[in-house]
Amino acid sequence: MELKRVVVTGLGALTPLGNTVPEFWENLVNGVSGAGPITHFDASKFKTQFACEVKNFDASKFIDRKEARKMDLYTQYAMAVAHEAVADSGLDLETEDLNRIGVILGVGIGGIHTFEEEVAGYEKTKDTIGPKYSPFFIPKMIADIASGQISIKYGFHGPNFTTTSACASSSNAICDAFNYIRLGKANAIVTGGAEAAIFPAGVGGFNAMHALSTRNDDPTHASRPFSASRDGFIMGEGAGCLILEELEHAKARGAKIYAELAGTGASADAYHLTASHPEGLGAILVMKNALDDAGMQPEDIDYINVHGTSTPVGDVSEVKAIKEVFGEHAYQLNISSTKSMTGHLLGATGAVEAIACTLSVKNDIVPPTINHEEGDNDENIDYNLNFTFNKAQQRPVRAALSNTFGFGGHNACVIIKKYTE
């Protein structure tokens, strides 16, 4: 069976750097930090009091107000980016076969804010009027509901489900969407991910694990991947959406094509619940799997958007993995962690970083890794590698590879390359 080619024809982004793709990309290239004091709740007694929040979000632009009240914030975010991506793709839904358009999203946690509110309400009423829960509690909370809401809005009857693999979730969703299309089971898939976990349970839970930076006096410089002074990641929130489409279908309707999705990979560390393998064994395997799937050699890659969360162990193991997979070519690569600007969007991070890779390939620009200071060097990291510190770099980007790794040892990788006939 001949596999179909898959291209990217639409993008949608809602991030701490901007509420549309152009805003996100402009701030990413210019090295803007999305970090600031938490506004979603009073975090004054928490170890970490800052995050990378979405700013000035207005759900009413995308969703009827009555319907929005039935959705957790993460679903509202997903609806917003689907709206932008579908419009950007130029798909004419009046003429498309909607049975062959699906929705596959990645979500790491889902409606954690809804869960908090409902349990708090129960605690207040359990000794007086007894259990009192909203009839929308479960439909708002469950992680799969955003993909369902998108399919209902647009009438997409194709494959519809949600992947959950912690911080690899939306990359795994992209992997699944890619395979459905190249196997001929769909013409197009709305894919990506969403997350909105900057609430007490989310921040408190990660604080208890000592996973978050506590640089409360300087939030915008707190995420500093590959620097010796890194002390944990910054929580982010938002969503990203890509319209993946079978090439011939896209050409037949005259679609603009951003780039081609060349291959994907998945693997497991099989090592620890939360820590990456110290030698990067799972990361090595997932990158090799993606290269094999794409039929590409390490020398074909020009840019790696790394997982790069700014944690002491994770950054080191990923560098080891890159050097093992790419050998001497590792020194010809540009490497950057866009989490230094967006924070870590958990289940949405793979989608947002796939968008960054798509635009990097399209525009021949590599966004930077910000917040690295001269002399702030970790003896376990090879600084002869080009981490694109502090300033974006213009260069030909034939292909970009994006890594995402999740708690549980889940690893996913996607490769995006320039589209050519």
Side-chain angles (χ1 to χ4, degrees), residues 30-63:
N30 287 319
V32 175
S33 170
I38 290 172
T39 64
H40 288 338
F41 68 96
D42 180 3
S44 59
K45 295 183 180 180
F46 283 70
K47 292 179 182 177
T48 297
Q49 298 163 14
F50 62 96
C52 288
E53 295 179 336
V54 168
K55 288 89 174 170
N56 303 315
F57 176 66
D58 182 359
S60 66
K61 292 180 179 179
F62 317 101
I63 317 162

Side-chain angles (χ1 to χ4, degrees), residues 211-245:
L212 300 181
S213 170
T214 56
R215 201 182 292 267
N216 294 311
D217 59 337
D218 192 12
T220 60
H221 296 94
S223 182
R224 44 183 61 210
F226 310 112
S227 295
S229 57
R230 64 192 185 277
D231 69 330
F233 71 83
I234 302 179
M235 282 188 71
E237 63 172 359
C241 185
L242 300 89
I243 306 299
L244 299 185
E245 193 168 345

Side-chain angles (χ1 to χ4, degrees), residues 164-395:
T164 298
S165 50
C167 305
S169 295
S170 52
S171 290
N172 279 131
I174 293 169
C175 296
D176 284 349
F178 174 63
N179 285 321
Y180 269 93
I181 295 170
R182 69 172 175 172
L183 290 172
K185 296 180 181 295
N187 293 337
I189 301 281
V190 179
T191 190
E195 202 80 272
I198 303 174
F199 294 101
V203 175
F206 281 116
N207 265 159
M209 296 172 60
H210 305 288
L212 300 181
S213 170
T214 56
R215 201 182 292 267
N216 294 311
D217 59 337
D218 192 12
T220 60
H221 296 94
S223 182
R224 44 183 61 210
F226 310 112
S227 295
S229 57
R230 64 192 185 277
D231 69 330
F233 71 83
I234 302 179
M235 282 188 71
E237 63 172 359
C241 185
L242 300 89
I243 306 299
L244 299 185
E245 193 168 345
E246 192 272 319
L247 173 60
E248 296 305 320
H249 182 271
K251 288 167 64 176
R253 68 180 186 86
K256 72 174 181 299
I257 296 174
Y258 283 98
E260 181 172 359
L261 181 52
T264 65
S267 76
D269 277 5
Y271 171 72
H272 189 274
L273 282 178
T274 57
S276 58
H277 191 284
E279 299 303 317
L281 296 188
I284 291 168
L285 181 59
V286 78
M287 287 187 279
K288 287 184 174 179
N289 287 345
L291 287 166
D292 288 346
D293 190 47
M296 298 172 74
Q297 300 300 314
E299 293 74 23
D300 296 325
I301 304 296
D302 291 320
Y303 168 46
I304 300 178
N305 187 300
V306 290
H307 190 57
T309 57
S310 189
T311 57
V313 175
D315 288 7
V316 172
S317 63
E318 190 169 10
V319 169
K320 289 180 179 178
I322 290 169
K323 292 179 68 174
E324 175 64 27
V325 172
F326 289 90
E328 285 303 310
H329 182 63
Y331 298 94
Q332 307 304 315
L333 294 165
N334 273 76
I335 298 165
S336 76
S337 171
T338 48
K339 290 183 182 71
S340 60
M341 295 169 279
T342 66
H344 192 349
L345 276 68
L346 308 177
T349 198
V352 170
E353 289 165 12
I355 292 170
C357 286
T358 299
L359 295 174
S360 180
V361 166
K362 181 179 184 292
N363 297 306
D364 290 319
I365 301 173
V366 175
T369 304
I370 67 168
N371 294 331
H372 185 74
E373 299 170 358
E374 188 174 351
D376 186 10
N377 295 334
D378 184 335
E379 63 181 11
N380 297 305
I381 290 176
D382 184 352
Y383 290 98
N384 291 312
L385 297 170
N386 183 359
F387 291 101
T388 323
F389 281 134
N390 298 323
K391 187 176 181 181
Q393 184 174 333
Q394 190 106 30
R395 64 161 291 172

